[in-house]
Amino acid sequence: MKLRSAIHIALCSVALSNNITSASELTPFTTDGCSMFPNGDSANKVKWMRCCTQHDYAYWKGGTEDDRFRADEALKQCVADLGESEISMLMHLGVRLGGEPYFPTWYRWGYGWPYLRGYQSLSEKENEQVMQRMIELQQLINEFIESEN
């Protein structure tokens, strides 16, 4: 009976360690533009979408609470630089209220990592994963461009 319990504990430990290892994997980068907000105005449907995509990159990879603050400020400044100061303030309010890493949403801070990562600096290995995912994305873009020519 003790042997059976020891085997059971060992198998559970292996299963848990495998889940922990795979749970720290960064998913490929995704963006939906300006999540739950228009990507532009009636004259230019994608006017501030570049700002939102850059913001999504920061949210995807996550990091510290200060990193999030800087990402949100950069979004606000990017949209304001397009001559849309009122829109930038609305967007800033939205991301500050809705982007917490503890919300189970697809647009939360650190959404590329498993849920409940919270605010934490990226380790060297995690930064390597970010770079690898960006290389993979660039390769996909290059393949797409080549297939269109």
Side-chain angles (χ1 to χ4, degrees), residues 25-79:
E25 296 254 341
L26 180 65
T27 62
F29 175 68
T30 59
T31 181
D32 62 355
C34 303
S35 310
M36 304 188 60
F37 199 88
N39 292 318
D41 58 22
S42 59
N44 182 349
K45 302 282 188 208
V46 294
K47 186 171 185 175
W48 46 79
M49 188 171 169
R50 179 184 53 81
C51 303
C52 295
T53 302
Q54 290 172 335
H55 188 253
D56 281 356
Y57 172 74
Y59 264 58
W60 165 74
K61 71 177 186 171
T64 66
E65 193 167 5
D66 286 342
D67 293 333
R68 178 174 171 232
F69 179 81
R70 285 190 296 276
D72 293 346
E73 288 296 314
L75 172 66
K76 182 171 83 172
Q77 188 62 54
C78 184
V79 175

Side-chain angles (χ1 to χ4, degrees), residues 70-143:
R70 285 190 296 276
D72 293 346
E73 288 296 314
L75 172 66
K76 182 171 83 172
Q77 188 62 54
C78 184
V79 175
D81 288 348
L82 296 172
E84 300 292 349
S85 59
E86 292 88 8
I87 296 291
S88 75
M89 297 295 276
L90 281 172
M91 292 174 91
H92 187 256
L93 179 62
V95 296
R96 292 307 300 164
L97 293 174
E100 287 288 328
Y102 309 109
F103 296 151
T105 59
W106 74 91
Y107 51 82
R108 73 180 184 281
W109 179 252
Y111 69 83
W113 301 103
Y115 179 55
L116 292 179
R117 175 184 169 80
Y119 293 112
Q120 56 181 292
S121 296
L122 273 62
S123 70
E124 187 176 326
K125 286 187 177 194
E126 289 168 335
N127 275 313
E128 289 172 9
Q129 283 188 62
V130 170
M131 288 299 106
Q132 183 58 42
R133 291 297 188 187
M134 290 295 96
I135 290 168
E136 292 167 3
L137 178 60
Q138 186 62 56
Q139 289 170 340
L140 285 172
I141 291 169
N142 291 343
E143 289 173 14

